[in-house]
Amino acid sequence: MESAKIGFIGAGNMAQAVVKGLLLSGKDFNLSASATKETSSTYQKMKSLGVNMHVKNVELCQCHVIVLAVKPYLVAKVMDEIKDDLKSHHVVVSLAAAVKLADLSKCAPSNVGVVRASITTSVSVQSGVTTMVATPNTTSEQKKLVTDIFSLVGHCEMVDDEGYVDYNTTFCGCGVAYMCMALEAYADGGVLIGLQRKKAIELAAKTMIGTAKMILETGQHPGELKDAVCSPKGLTILGVQSLERSGFRSSIIDAVDTAHRGRH
């Protein structure tokens, strides 16, 4: 896996996030990327990370794994540029999660493995959530290679049902924003009661990390852990009452539902 050459077509936020996570893994990957202009900020940012930069997308066909990190409307155009240089040893991974696997397949030669992936930006700190689905002609070796690579930047799962990739996009991908909003509001509360902003954000983030770790490592239901810190007539249950009164739960449920329905 470490000898694999990975090329990113596109050098924006998603590509940068994956590259940062891979660099943290300590593995000796050969990383390349393309951006339209050498003077662009994305080109310079990727270059500063030690990535071999190119301005022509077709030059990325020297890589084993080609990651499409472009906007959905550009996928067909990019694939048209490189399709004549794609061979059976290539595997194309699309991070444009809105583009269905069937549409990706139409853009690629029939002997080239294609993977549709949905990731979260937390791959940059090796804590991402990635769900993937592959075309039938993608070999088991190619699936393993791609899964192994993205497992270095967080949780990664290859599924058979493409619907789970959509779920990952609207539930996990969008969820990063919801978590940040909740954390920011919690930190605002800390400032209100007298904490300095920086300390409030730090403590709020650590509280969220610790709580998530308890849920994952103990297997306990979140409601059970919540009840454990709600003493009769205590301060926590007073705060919970306020959250319930303001529709905290229903607001989060509605956000997830609204984002998911917005895909159709």
Side-chain angles (χ1 to χ4, degrees):
M1 177 177 64
E2 286 190 58
S3 61
K5 293 182 179 181
I6 306 172
F8 295 83
I9 295 182
N13 291 336
M14 282 300 184
Q16 290 177 29
V18 177
V19 166
K20 289 175 182 177
L22 290 176
L23 292 175
L24 287 174
S25 74
K27 302 293 184 181
D28 188 23
F29 287 112
N30 186 328
L31 303 176
S32 299
S34 62
T36 54
K37 295 180 181 179
E38 292 185 21
T39 55
S40 68
S41 60
T42 53
Y43 183 105
Q44 294 302 323
K45 179 62 177 177
M46 288 288 261
K47 187 176 181 180
S48 72
L49 293 172
V51 178
N52 302 311
M53 295 302 297
H54 305 271
V55 292
K56 294 183 178 180
N57 294 328
V58 71
E59 293 177 328
L60 274 297
C61 290
Q62 64 183 296
C63 301
H64 305 101
V65 180
I66 300 173
V67 182
L68 302 181
V70 296
K71 298 294 185 183
Y73 73 90
L74 290 173
V75 168
K77 177 179 180 293
V78 167
M79 288 297 294
D80 188 58
E81 290 177 20
I82 67 173
K83 66 181 181 182
D84 291 340
D85 290 86
L86 292 175
K87 308 301 178 186
S88 60
H89 65 273
H90 286 116
V91 57
V92 177
V93 181
S94 171
L95 301 186
V99 182
K100 299 291 187 179
L101 194 62
D103 294 323
L104 291 168
S105 298
K106 292 175 184 176
C107 298
S110 59
N111 63 336
V112 173
V114 178
V115 175
R116 177 190 173 205
S118 173
I119 68 172
T120 60
T121 52
S122 46
V123 293
S124 63
V125 290
Q126 297 181 291
S127 297
V129 180
T130 300
T131 303
M132 300 175 163
V133 64
T135 54
N137 63 316
T138 307
T139 67
S140 57
E141 291 80 8
Q142 289 173 328
K143 290 179 184 178
K144 184 179 186 305
L145 173 61
V146 172
T147 302
D148 286 349
I149 289 170
F150 279 84
S151 291
L152 292 173
V153 295
H155 173 79
C156 180
E157 186 176 6
M158 182 73 72
V159 298
D160 296 322
D161 184 350
E162 188 173 8
Y164 283 102
V165 178
D166 294 326
Y167 290 138
N168 194 81
T169 300
T170 55
F171 189 67
C172 300
C174 298
V176 173
Y178 311 152
M179 300 297 169
C180 286
M181 290 177 72
L183 194 152
E184 183 183 26
Y186 192 39
D188 283 345
V191 173
L192 180 65
I193 64 174
L195 287 172
Q196 294 296 315
R197 170 72 59 184
K198 185 176 180 180
K199 178 58 68 173
I201 292 174
E202 177 190 353
L203 293 177
K206 287 183 176 179
T207 300
M208 188 175 282
I209 291 171
T211 304
K213 192 172 183 179
M214 278 198 298
I215 294 168
L216 291 173
E217 293 190 3
T218 68
Q220 288 182 275
H221 190 281
E224 187 180 354
L225 292 171
K226 181 262 295 177
D227 289 347
V229 295
C230 287
S231 304
K233 292 187 177 182
L235 301 178
T236 307
I237 195 63
L238 287 174
V240 169
Q241 181 189 36
S242 177
L243 289 172
E244 296 287 16
R245 188 184 295 123
S246 65
F248 179 74
R249 292 175 192 249
S250 60
S251 292
I252 294 175
I253 294 170
D254 286 347
V256 174
D257 183 52
T258 300
H260 189 69
R261 286 189 286 110
R263 292 182 57 84
H264 307 291

